[in-house]
Amino acid sequence: MISSVLKFECGRMFSSSSSWLVIAAVQFLLTLIFYNLLSKYLTDPALFEGRGITDVVIASYYRSAALIFLLIAPLLTMRLISEEINSGSIKLLLSSPISAHQIILGKFFAATFFLIFLLTLITLVPLSLSIGTSLDYGHLLACIIGSSLLLFSLCSAGLFFSSLFSHQSVSAITSYTAILLLWTAHTAASSEGSNVDRLFQSLSMSNHFTNFTEGVINSASVSFFIIITLLFLILGIWKIKMMRTMEW
Amino acid sequence: MSDTTMMQAENICRYYGKQRALNNISFIASKGEVTGFLGPNGAGKSTLMQIVSGVLAATTGTVSISGFNIIKQPASARSALGYLPDKPPLYIDCNIDTYLLYCAQLRNVPSDKQQSQVEIAKQVCGLEGEGKRLIQKLSKGYQQRIGLAQAIIHSPEVLILDEPSSGLDPNQMVEMRKMILELRKDHCIIFSTHILSEAFQLCDRIIIINSGEKVLEQPISFFNNQSALEEIYVKETKTMPLNNTEITNDL
């Protein structure tokens, strides 16, 4: 049943011209960023104090990609359930022998499949450097794993906020708010190093993602993204179950 | 529950906060029978249709479909019912075939039978040869037919139709009624409407609800003609006090 929802949602996403437009725009933008980073590195490598191309160009490239993911993930996920509530097609799902977790997981995997496809495409750009130079593949892999985990978190958060509202724009706005709060949580921490400060630091999505772009696959950061993903998935499942007791 | 009983609803109550939408509604529906729910706008018909189709939970009371409790055995109960809401639950960016195939998968139709069930549903609803057309390009009447096709795609024992002919032009209404009459042979049909002529033509049994209460349940033979139905309907729906804002202390 999860695979039916996954296939159907993927079919809708990949048959939509706006999805391909998003892919093209992201690809164009990131290729431009990559070109700029590479030009800067090649023009004056001494500026980077002997750091390798993976450390300078590729890590910055994935940091830029993360910011773009923050912008596009809510746009992609906002319609997943909001649209169904608004159009009334949610009643098809609720009257069918499909459980709340199958609905949420099917839609979650569809959204992540699309974004992982996008991640694969944008990974081809730094990989092209391997033709002319040797890359630190371990570091590159850490960037890819970090980006994937970030995408899982963004999709599950977006999906949950989509289940809360019938208007897609409201879902997107609340989703942006939650994601940006998590991304910038470290900015609320002062330099005193108190427990509260440490809490803000450890809740920062940006801090955890930076670990990956520095080539470190840290178990705390991996757990952070998995917990965020699971938390929003559970909330989404709970919300679908609650729909049966609420007013339409 | 007799052998032919397909649906049993007992003491259904539904509250939205403190506002009571349905109060203590019970009924039984059998195979080969069309049960019509009549009532003015806001009487609670759609809420009741949503509850018996498993979309909404009753605050108290139970619903059984083919012997399966819709809350305790949701998968079995929902496999045995098809539901057409007041607004057809469509994905307008899909074509008819893709949409109906998805509905067949959601309704647990075995994979080797999905395609044939799609063809049968299209045939019953007059959609042959239209499979590749985008749903958003179709008229309201055709969209309603697709809504009916998704409800019968898995040959359910119970068919729940919420105002199936609302928004249709007279020709489309006639077509929709023909389809319902055709479907009654193999299904237990429950439908809501506020069109008295439609109820008189289609139903074997009429249940009138007003302000969330069941005020009358009679076989169609009870009404000598449509005028008698109209007379009783007007009388029953006028005499009940409005209780939409009634606040109870039960909760």
Side-chain angles (χ1 to χ4, degrees):
Chain A
M1 204 64 96
I2 293 174
S3 64
S4 300
V5 179
L6 165 64
K7 270 190 260 174
F8 182 71
E9 291 295 342
C10 277
R12 290 181 73 199
M13 272 183 215
F14 282 99
S15 63
S16 148
S17 52
S18 55
S19 301
W20 289 102
L21 200 66
V22 167
I23 290 175
V26 170
Q27 189 82 344
F28 173 75
L29 206 59
L30 280 172
T31 308
L32 211 60
I33 290 170
F34 183 77
Y35 175 77
N36 283 337
L37 288 166
L38 192 61
S39 305
K40 225 180 268 178
Y41 183 79
L42 293 177
T43 315
D44 200 354
L47 269 178
F48 301 98
E49 297 163 344
R51 286 155 67 203
I53 195 163
T54 314
D55 200 15
V56 176
V57 177
I58 296 182
S60 303
Y61 175 74
Y62 277 98
R63 274 194 285 272
S64 306
L67 292 177
I68 290 176
F69 288 147
L70 294 186
L71 291 175
I72 62 163
L75 289 179
L76 181 79
T77 53
M78 67 181 184
R79 52 164 280 278
L80 284 173
I81 298 177
S82 293
E83 187 187 43
E84 302 235 24
I85 299 171
N86 197 25
S87 73
S89 59
I90 191 80
K91 290 179 184 173
L92 170 69
L93 295 173
L94 295 179
S95 65
S96 297
I98 177 170
S99 62
H101 78 269
Q102 288 170 326
I103 296 172
I104 289 290
L105 290 180
K107 286 176 180 286
F108 169 74
F109 287 134
T112 48
F113 183 83
F114 180 84
L115 287 173
I116 294 292
F117 172 74
L118 179 59
L119 178 64
T120 309
L121 286 181
I122 63 173
T123 296
L124 294 176
V125 179
L127 267 182
S128 65
L129 286 181
S130 63
I131 299 167
T133 182
S134 61
L135 296 176
D136 179 348
Y137 287 104
H139 195 156
L140 178 62
L141 187 67
C143 290
I144 295 170
I145 291 172
S147 301
S148 305
L149 289 169
L150 175 67
L151 288 179
F152 293 157
S153 309
L154 298 180
C155 283
S156 74
L159 188 57
F160 167 65
F161 286 105
S162 175
S163 73
L164 292 183
F165 306 101
S166 60
H167 291 289
Q168 296 185 31
S169 51
V170 182
S171 303
I173 289 166
T174 48
S175 194
Y176 278 129
T177 309
I179 287 168
L180 289 176
L181 278 176
L182 277 173
W183 187 259
T184 57
H186 62 281
T187 57
S190 65
S191 54
E192 287 171 13
S194 68
N195 285 341
V196 178
D197 293 330
R198 276 200 294 277
L199 177 73
F200 281 126
Q201 293 285 0
S202 60
L203 280 177
S204 165
M205 227 181 216
S206 162
N207 277 0
H208 289 290
F209 183 73
T210 305
N211 285 338
F212 290 99
T213 55
E214 285 171 354
V216 181
I217 302 178
N218 183 329
S219 61
S221 298
V222 172
S223 309
F224 171 80
F225 283 113
I226 292 175
I227 289 168
I228 293 287
T229 305
L230 290 178
L231 175 74
F232 282 115
L233 285 179
I234 291 166
L235 286 173
I237 293 168
W238 168 79
K239 180 61 184 47
I240 295 283
K241 284 183 176 170
M242 285 294 291
M243 279 181 180
R244 292 201 169 93
T245 57
M246 286 161 47
E247 187 176 357
W248 286 95
Chain B
M1 210 157 134
S2 77
D3 288 347
T4 57
T5 302
M6 288 289 130
M7 173 183 281
Q8 188 163 16
E10 284 180 287
N11 308 319
I12 300 291
C13 293
R14 171 74 203 195
Y15 291 84
Y16 292 122
K18 287 180 176 174
Q19 190 172 321
R20 190 175 66 192
L22 290 175
N23 184 31
N24 220 25
I25 293 197
S26 302
F27 68 94
I28 285 174
S30 304
K31 192 173 182 179
E33 190 183 69
V34 180
T35 306
F37 282 84
L38 273 176
N41 290 331
K45 301 187 297 292
S46 288
T47 302
L48 182 62
M49 295 300 112
Q50 288 182 42
I51 287 172
V52 295
S53 60
V55 169
L56 209 57
T59 309
T60 59
T62 56
V63 176
S64 299
I65 312 276
S66 292
F68 300 109
N69 184 302
I70 207 153
I71 301 294
K72 291 177 183 159
Q73 300 149 293
S76 306
R78 288 189 206 137
S79 294
L81 70 85
Y83 173 48
L84 170 61
D86 47 354
K87 188 179 170 196
L90 306 174
Y91 298 94
I92 56 169
D93 53 344
C94 295
N95 67 37
I96 298 176
D97 280 346
T98 308
Y99 171 71
L100 290 179
L101 194 63
Y102 179 54
C103 294
Q105 289 165 354
L106 288 179
R107 260 66 179 269
N108 275 340
V109 175
S111 51
D112 56 331
K113 288 187 179 163
Q114 286 169 2
Q115 204 55 52
S116 60
Q117 286 297 110
V118 168
E119 293 306 320
I120 292 167
K122 280 185 348 193
Q123 195 184 355
V124 171
C125 299
L127 296 165
E128 305 110 306
E130 309 282 353
K132 299 293 171 215
R133 292 183 68 185
L134 268 185
I135 294 175
Q136 63 187 344
K137 305 270 183 197
L138 299 171
S139 67
K140 166 85 183 157
Y142 263 92
Q143 292 191 353
Q144 197 74 353
R145 284 173 188 227
I146 301 165
L148 186 61
Q150 64 77 24
I152 61 167
I153 194 102
H154 52 309
S155 308
E157 287 159 319
V158 177
L159 200 50
I160 299 159
L161 311 172
D162 191 0
E163 303 198 8
S165 48
S166 73
L168 301 184
D169 68 34
N171 287 337
Q172 291 168 335
M173 269 189 188
V174 171
E175 287 292 318
M176 181 55 76
R177 285 173 197 167
K178 273 186 194 165
M179 281 187 263
I180 294 172
L181 284 174
E182 199 58 36
L183 288 165
R184 79 192 292 179
K185 295 174 200 159
D186 306 313
H187 303 82
C188 160
I189 299 180
I190 289 158
F191 87 102
S192 72
T193 183
H194 52 254
I195 306 169
L196 299 181
S197 59
E198 182 174 68
F200 192 76
Q201 283 172 35
L202 295 176
C203 297
D204 298 297
R205 208 152 45 89
I206 300 267
I207 296 174
I208 298 177
I209 57 174
N210 189 29
S211 303
E213 308 251 3
K214 184 168 90 173
V215 292
L216 180 120
E217 178 173 2
Q218 291 295 348
I220 196 70
S221 55
F222 175 81
F223 310 97
N224 296 327
N225 49 41
Q226 198 179 309
S227 306
L229 173 62
E230 278 172 17
E231 206 174 297
I232 292 170
Y233 175 83
V234 170
K235 188 178 140 210
E236 293 294 347
T237 53
K238 268 190 176 171
T239 51
M240 284 295 293
L242 280 174
N243 69 346
N244 275 348
T245 52
E246 183 178 337
I247 297 172
T248 66
N249 297 321
D250 297 347
L251 291 176

